[in-house]
């Protein structure tokens, strides 16, 4: 019997599987463990068509080494390159840290949900980051700067372990003066040379005034941090649906297939990483 | 749906005819267990006589012909100036004979995730579209609970589905491919008598289900009894071996690994099936494990099967084949765990 005619229907190869070949155009050391990578999609056409929203992530691949999720930390309006702030913690990140400008990597994406910047129009925006949590916050900060008149007060609270670990500190002055953002930093441990505050991020709540009816909050950092921060904000009366957090889980696909990022009944890569706090409360073991 | 009948002799001709030019997969016994019972697996058939139409349950499910245990997703040519990626799908026509209704329903559930979602999976899709499925009814085994899961009959997801009505097979036709295959060999229209016989067989099958699992309130119980000691009781027995997920027709979790050749000129990105019961399933860099204990991981396997999937697709992921119960060395079966869960609720 010959082959039935239904056979050999081709399937279209999805971009989400293939990925974009991209070049590292700069690898800038920020601290002992973190580097900022500027990555440009090689094909001009693909580069032009690549768009993302604040809070989304990409999967970055080093052939033969592995593939990992990294939040995009550049402005959505930057068409030249994507900025990725990567901490050296293991195999793939370690290998990335050894790469120099000119190296070719693969990226797939963008994946995941985003911070609903449009919904925040007309509100105060409170952004809170702990440690590396500032990386996913850079995209919404740039967005807010680019649409500064859409928002009322913008406050950034940033907590780090030590002054040396503060990321992007060199940009704070520019953000303060040009874009009129209020940025407060706090560190857990510091010697006498540190002029600023010492403590944990929730200590900064005493220094600012929050209008619960008029504020959206974005929180990024380790799980313990957003647990405390969101609990505090709820007691102030901020509705849980106006607080957004970005969750981190192990990820292998970014497309809701491998299940590795499963929390409760959802997948962090599809329904997250950005969740509102009401959803997070309803997800088993989210925090 | 169209129906026809085919005599057993002609069925043999049909399978032999297909085999001439195509790869045919079917249930075949390979080994015997300690009690002497045959162990069946879906394997490539070399002749019609290897096909065991009276098989009980295949040890592992035919899902592996759609989601292979290991699959190369891409290969890379590494050069000094960068690399070239190549992606190839195995588009290799196949016929699977003798799949049970539960396994066909399991594929339909996988279709929801792999085909009908935001990111269709081209590897799965290529295999799914190039596989002809010939299903086969059977009388339920002691521990089959597919009836409770609503997966004891298949209405689509196959090309042909056969029910043994004595001298002949009663055949449901669900695709043009199936229709064409059947038409090349002598098949007959369904007569009044065939129809009566078919109804009788179906009735007999339905009356023979012994195991029942009441899942009506299980999705809610998964949340209400989230902290219940049921999980600890069963979970502490779990060896975190992952066998349950390997034999399950619907478990689809996977991991990715990348390999590089010894002479650094080729690399491969490979997907391998994983299990949410394995220790490092949710471990992230720095060593934090979101599911550090066996009972938490076991709970999550059930949570996905009986709650997460229900929320997403209005149906449980489990099809009630009890392969996991049979494969588990610790004696953990869905029926036992769920009965226990419902029991705590009543207490
Ligand atoms: C949505 C999202 C955004 C992220 N954004 C950033 C960022 O902007 N900057 C940054 O430095 N890090 C970020 N991470 C964490 C980063 O993905 C991990 O640090 C990275 O995967 C570690 O890989 P490795 O190979 O170096 O570590 P190893 O410990 O060698 O890990 C081996 C493998 O495990 C998996 N894995 C381990 N840890 C994680 C993890 N935390 N998340 C997902 N998969 C993991 C990966 O597949 C990895 O290849 C993000 C994670 C997520 C989920
Ligand atoms: S009974 Fe077990 S193996 Fe069968 S579908 Fe349900 S979970 Fe999977
Ligand atoms: S087969 Fe049994 S022991 Fe092994 S992981 Fe599954 S439930 Fe645990
Ligand atoms: S990363 Fe694979 S399912 Fe989310």
């Amino acid at each position: 019997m010959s082959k039935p005619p239904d056979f050999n229907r081709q399937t279209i190869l999805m971009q989400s599987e293939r990925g974009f070949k991209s070049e590292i155009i700069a690898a800038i050391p920020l601290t002992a463990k973190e580097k900022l990578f500027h990555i440009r999609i090689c094909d001009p056409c693909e580069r032009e068509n690549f768009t993302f929203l604040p809070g989304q992530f990409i999967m970055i691949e080093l052939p033969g080494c592995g593939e990992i999720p990294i939040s995009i930390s550049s402005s959505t309006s930057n068409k030249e390159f994507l900025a990725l702030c990567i901490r050296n913690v293991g195999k793939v990140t370690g290998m990335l840290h050894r790469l120099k400008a000119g190296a070719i990597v693969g990226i797939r994406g963008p994946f995941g949900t985003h911070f609903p910047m449009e919904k925040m129009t007309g509100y105060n925006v409170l952004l809170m980051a702990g440690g590396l949590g500032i990386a996913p916050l850079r995209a919404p900060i740039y967005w807010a700067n680019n649409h500064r008149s859409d928002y009322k007060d913008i406050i950034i609270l940033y907590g780090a372990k030590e002054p040396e670990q503060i990321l992007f500190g060199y940009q704070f002055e520019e953000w303060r003066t040009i874009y009129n953002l209020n940025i407060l930093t706090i560190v857990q441990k510091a010697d006498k040379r540190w002029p600023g505050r010492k403590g944990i991020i929730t200590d900064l709540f005493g220094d600012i005034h929050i209008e619960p009816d008029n504020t959206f909050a974005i929180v990024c950092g380790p799980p313990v941090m957003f647990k405390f921060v969101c609990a505090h904000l709820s007691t102030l009366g901020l509705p849980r649906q106006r607080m957004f957090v970005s969750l981190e889980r192990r990820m292998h696909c970014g497309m809701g297939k491998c299940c590795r990022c499963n929390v409760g009944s959802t997948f962090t890569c599809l329904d997250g990483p950005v969740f509102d706090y009401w959803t997070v409360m309803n997800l088993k073991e989210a925090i | 749906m169209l129906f026809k009948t085919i005599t057993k002799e002609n069925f043999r001709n049909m399978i032999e005819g297909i085999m001439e030019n195509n790869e045919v997969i079917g249930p075949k016994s390979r080994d015997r267990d300690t009690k002497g019972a045959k162990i069946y697996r879906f394997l490539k058939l070399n002749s019609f006589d290897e096909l065991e139409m009276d098989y009980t349950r295949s040890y592992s499910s035919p899902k592996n012909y759609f989601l292979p245990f290991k699959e190369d997703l891409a290969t890379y040519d590494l050069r000094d100036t960068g690399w070239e990626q190549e992606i190839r799908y195995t588009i290799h026509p196949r016929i699977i004979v003798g799949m049970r209704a539960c396994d066909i329903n399991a594929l339909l559930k996988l279709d929801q995730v792999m085909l009908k979602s935001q990111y269709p999976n081209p590897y799965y899709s290529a295999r799914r579209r190039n596989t002809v499925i010939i299903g086969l009814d059977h009388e339920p085994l002691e521990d089959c609970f597919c009836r409770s899961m609503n997966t004891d009959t298949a209405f689509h997801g196959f090309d042909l589905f056969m029910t043994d009505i004595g001298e002949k097979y009663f055949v449901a036709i669900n695709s043009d491919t199936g229709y064409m295959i059947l038409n090349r060999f002598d098949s007959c229209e369904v007569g009044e008598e065939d129809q009566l016989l078919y109804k009788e067989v179906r009735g007999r099958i339905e009356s023979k289900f012994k195991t029942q699992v009441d899942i009506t309130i299980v999705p809610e119980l998964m949340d209400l009894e989230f902290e219940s000691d049921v999980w600890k009781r069963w979970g502490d027995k779990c060896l975190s071996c992952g066998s349950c997920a390997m034999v399950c027709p619907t478990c689809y979790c996977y991991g990715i690994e990348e390999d590089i050749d010894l002479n650094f000129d080729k690399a491969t990105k490979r997907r391998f099936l994983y299990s949410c019961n394995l220790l490092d399933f949710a471990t992230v860099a720095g060593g934090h494990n979101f599911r550090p204990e066996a009972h938490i991981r076991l709970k999550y396997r059930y949570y996905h099967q009986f709650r997460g999937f229900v929320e997403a697709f209005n149906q449980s992921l489990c099809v009630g084949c009890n392969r996991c119960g049979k494969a588990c060395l610790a004696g953990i079966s869905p029926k036992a765990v769920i009965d226990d869960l419902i029991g705590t609720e009543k207490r």
Side-chain angles (χ1 to χ4, degrees):
Chain A
M1 195 196 84
S2 59
K3 291 189 173 78
D6 217 14
F7 275 160
N8 271 311
R9 270 184 282 167
Q10 286 281 344
T11 0
I12 309 150
L13 177 54
M14 308 291 293
Q15 181 59 57
S16 50
E17 295 281 346
R18 191 169 66 78
F20 305 106
K21 236 178 170 183
S22 312
E23 183 187 346
I24 296 182
I25 51 172
I28 309 152
L30 294 178
T31 69
K33 292 211 110 186
E34 282 99 4
K35 270 191 184 178
L36 185 67
F37 292 87
H38 289 178
I39 291 183
R40 186 164 64 192
I41 297 175
C42 297
D43 185 287
C45 217
E46 290 176 346
R47 191 189 319 148
E48 188 53 37
N49 290 334
F50 186 94
T51 55
F52 70 96
L53 289 162
Q56 287 192 298
F57 67 95
I58 52 146
M59 297 293 284
I60 176 165
E61 180 180 18
L62 279 176
C65 183
E67 193 178 33
I68 55 168
I70 297 292
S71 319
I72 307 176
S73 314
S74 45
S75 166
T76 49
S77 60
N78 182 346
K79 283 275 172 195
E80 274 310 298
F81 61 83
L82 298 172
L84 309 174
C85 171
I86 300 177
R87 175 178 286 175
N88 181 354
V89 287
K91 190 177 160 203
V92 181
T93 49
M95 202 63 185
L96 275 165
H97 270 244
R98 285 157 64 182
L99 295 182
K100 300 199 174 58
I104 306 288
V105 297
I107 64 172
R108 294 191 292 125
F111 294 119
T113 50
H114 57 95
F115 297 109
M117 301 310 291
E118 332 75 46
K119 269 201 208 155
M120 302 182 192
T121 306
Y123 284 84
N124 300 320
V125 184
L126 173 64
L127 301 115
M128 276 164 291
L132 191 55
I134 192 87
L137 282 201
R138 283 224 308 167
I141 293 170
Y142 278 121
W143 178 288
N145 290 347
N146 290 343
H147 304 81
R148 187 62 189 89
S149 57
D150 286 357
Y151 307 101
K152 298 212 283 207
D153 291 348
I154 300 179
I155 307 175
I156 299 174
L157 306 183
Y158 181 31
K161 280 221 178 73
E162 297 168 23
E164 296 75 46
Q165 295 186 2
I166 291 181
L167 295 163
F168 306 110
Y170 57 87
Q171 286 191 304
F172 291 176
E173 217 28 59
E174 174 198 337
W175 289 348
R176 272 194 196 106
T177 48
I178 303 182
Y179 299 109
N180 188 25
L181 314 187
N182 185 7
I183 305 177
L184 302 176
T185 49
I186 192 161
V187 297
Q188 280 174 19
K189 247 191 359 227
D191 58 23
K192 290 196 204 82
R193 281 170 300 162
W194 170 249
R197 294 206 46 180
K198 270 197 274 185
I200 54 169
I201 194 160
T202 38
D203 296 344
L204 290 175
F205 281 129
D207 301 5
I208 55 165
H209 173 65
I210 299 169
E211 302 167 31
D213 295 338
N214 249 325
T215 304
F216 268 86
I218 293 179
V219 188
C220 276
V224 272
M225 175 195 142
F226 54 72
K227 200 164 169 179
F228 283 110
V229 166
C230 293
H232 183 90
L233 291 174
S234 317
T235 54
L236 291 182
L238 197 71
R240 290 179 179 81
Q241 283 189 304
R242 272 200 255 126
M243 293 180 225
F244 291 88
V245 301
S246 179
L247 295 189
E248 195 185 316
R249 282 294 181 281
R250 187 172 181 133
M251 292 187 178
H252 280 216
C253 69
M255 303 184 286
K257 301 281 186 286
C258 72
C259 301
R260 301 301 282 267
C261 66
N262 174 246
V263 267
S265 46
T266 62
F267 297 111
T268 314
C269 64
L270 281 186
D271 308 298
V274 176
F275 290 99
D276 67 43
Y277 196 60
W278 166 250
T279 311
V280 169
M281 270 180 44
N282 282 286
L283 290 180
K284 294 291 179 199
E285 291 180 342
I287 48 176
Chain B
M1 188 145 26
L2 294 176
F3 298 94
K4 287 207 171 190
T5 61
I6 185 166
T7 62
K8 291 196 168 166
E9 189 50 38
N10 278 331
F11 173 71
R12 184 193 179 99
N13 294 339
M14 178 174 108
I15 298 299
E16 282 176 346
I18 302 173
M19 242 178 227
E20 276 170 26
N21 286 302
N22 300 286
E23 186 184 3
V24 179
I25 313 285
K28 196 156 127 168
S29 64
R30 254 297 172 85
D31 226 328
R32 285 180 187 271
D33 64 14
T34 45
K35 293 184 194 103
K38 284 183 178 174
I39 298 176
Y40 297 96
R41 287 184 57 197
F42 275 84
L43 294 169
K44 184 175 159 48
L45 302 174
N46 300 311
S47 74
F48 181 81
D49 295 321
E50 286 182 346
L51 174 63
E52 301 189 39
M53 292 295 275
D54 57 349
Y55 82 109
T56 48
R57 172 196 283 127
S58 67
Y59 184 80
S60 54
S61 91
K63 110 181 147 186
N64 294 84
Y65 289 98
F66 303 90
L67 291 174
F69 180 64
K70 274 198 177 190
E71 179 172 34
D72 288 354
L73 296 186
T75 51
Y76 301 85
D77 239 331
L78 308 177
R79 309 188 186 136
D80 288 342
T81 49
W83 42 264
E84 272 319 315
Q85 184 187 39
E86 196 191 337
I87 296 185
R88 245 181 280 119
Y89 310 121
T90 326
I91 304 185
H92 169 61
R94 251 187 204 139
I95 288 95
I96 301 187
V97 193
M99 259 173 92
R100 301 293 191 217
C102 64
D103 287 341
I104 292 168
N105 279 305
L107 280 184
L108 289 173
K109 289 174 199 270
L110 288 177
D111 288 352
Q112 295 288 342
V113 179
M114 297 293 165
L115 303 180
K116 297 180 183 167
S117 54
Q118 195 180 346
Y119 301 102
N121 178 333
Y123 306 88
Y124 176 88
S125 170
R127 289 168 189 274
R128 185 81 166 100
R129 288 180 179 184
N130 289 294
T131 307
V132 171
I133 292 172
I134 304 182
L136 178 69
D137 242 343
H138 74 142
E139 287 191 5
L141 309 172
E142 276 299 294
D143 52 348
C144 291
F145 61 98
C146 52
R147 193 159 169 71
S148 308
M149 305 308 298
N150 234 330
T151 52
D152 57 328
T153 44
F155 299 108
H156 62 128
F158 54 84
D159 294 271
L160 299 173
F161 196 89
M162 309 190 304
T163 307
D164 189 340
I165 52 168
E167 304 284 287
K168 300 190 250 184
Y169 287 112
F170 187 90
V171 191
I173 308 166
N174 194 43
S175 76
D176 187 31
T177 313
Y179 188 75
M180 287 197 29
I181 294 177
L182 205 60
N183 268 356
R184 288 199 195 176
F185 303 90
D186 279 333
S187 57
C188 316
E189 295 306 318
V190 175
E192 216 167 299
E193 197 188 331
D194 301 325
Q195 204 156 327
L196 280 173
L197 271 170
Y198 176 68
K199 282 189 194 158
E200 196 189 304
V201 172
R202 284 293 331 164
R204 192 168 69 230
I205 289 175
E206 268 160 49
S207 70
K208 288 208 172 166
F209 280 97
K210 294 205 183 89
T211 306
Q212 270 178 13
V213 179
D214 183 7
I215 54 151
T216 337
I217 54 164
V218 168
E220 270 184 306
L221 281 186
M222 292 308 302
D223 273 347
L224 287 171
E225 297 288 334
F226 198 76
E227 303 298 340
S228 157
D229 45 355
V230 166
W231 299 117
K232 196 115 177 53
R233 198 147 58 234
W234 291 99
D236 282 350
K237 294 185 195 174
C238 175
L239 308 166
S240 303
C241 66
S243 309
C244 44
M246 293 305 123
V247 299
C248 177
T250 57
C251 278
Y252 60 89
C253 301
Y254 68 80
I256 298 276
E257 60 184 14
E258 301 212 9
D259 274 353
I260 197 156
D261 266 17
L262 277 179
N263 41 6
F264 295 106
D265 59 358
K266 284 247 178 325
T268 314
K269 180 178 179 185
R270 194 169 294 129
R271 170 174 58 205
F272 56 95
L273 289 185
Y274 216 67
S275 161
C276 55
N277 281 346
L278 297 177
L279 177 66
D280 67 345
F281 180 81
T283 309
V284 293
H288 180 67
N289 191 345
F290 285 96
R291 298 176 188 174
E293 287 167 278
H295 68 91
I296 298 178
R297 294 192 294 274
L298 184 76
K299 173 163 71 187
Y300 263 105
R301 178 155 186 271
Y302 282 83
Y303 201 90
H304 188 197
Q305 298 258 0
F306 294 96
R307 162 104 208 182
F309 205 77
V310 180
E311 260 179 65
F313 303 109
N314 283 318
Q315 49 180 315
S316 299
L317 186 55
C318 173
V319 295
C321 66
N322 199 36
R323 282 191 180 97
C324 58
K326 277 267 184 266
C328 181
L329 293 173
I332 302 170
S333 75
K335 158 123 181 108
V337 173
I338 287 175
D339 280 356
D340 201 3
L341 196 68
I342 297 171
T344 48
E345 170 64 5
K346 282 187 195 133
R347 222 187 291 145

